[in-house]
Amino acid sequence: MALKIRLTRMGSKKRPFYRIVALDSATRRDGRALEYIGHYNPMVEPAEITVNAERLEYWSKQGATCSDSVRTLLKKVQK
């Protein structure tokens, strides 16, 4: 089972809101997540990014890899 940390889209039409989730890589984009790690709201200025670092580290130790978009968001959080 390959684990991924990626975004799942929430919100209404033209008002996106994303959750950062850990799930199996074969699961569809909006499928059931193993755990919600944080969220990303691009509709506010500045964009709101919240991440539970403890759970992110846990899933990374379990072998989960971040998607490119999540990796970019995490770099913004660390600055």
Side-chain angles (χ1 to χ4, degrees):
M1 182 165 115
L3 297 172
K4 284 285 218 181
I5 297 172
R6 63 185 187 198
L7 298 175
T8 185
R9 190 178 193 279
M10 307 293 287
S12 60
K13 182 178 177 182
K14 303 208 184 221
R15 301 287 300 167
F17 178 85
Y18 300 92
R19 286 186 179 165
I20 302 170
V21 297
L23 42 68
D24 181 29
S25 63
T27 306
R28 61 180 191 233
R29 181 193 71 184
D30 295 334
R32 182 175 212 141
L34 297 172
E35 183 175 4
Y36 299 105
I37 299 173
H39 68 270
Y40 167 57
N41 185 1
M43 300 305 293
V44 295
E45 190 58 45
E48 178 184 350
I49 305 168
T50 306
V51 178
N52 184 340
E54 183 179 300
R55 296 310 292 169
L56 179 66
E57 184 180 338
Y58 168 79
W59 284 108
S60 295
K61 287 181 180 177
Q62 297 299 317
T65 57
C66 293
S67 68
D68 294 337
S69 55
V70 171
R71 196 173 303 117
T72 302
L73 289 174
L74 292 176
K75 286 180 184 177
K76 289 182 183 179
V77 170
Q78 292 174 353
K79 286 185 178 180

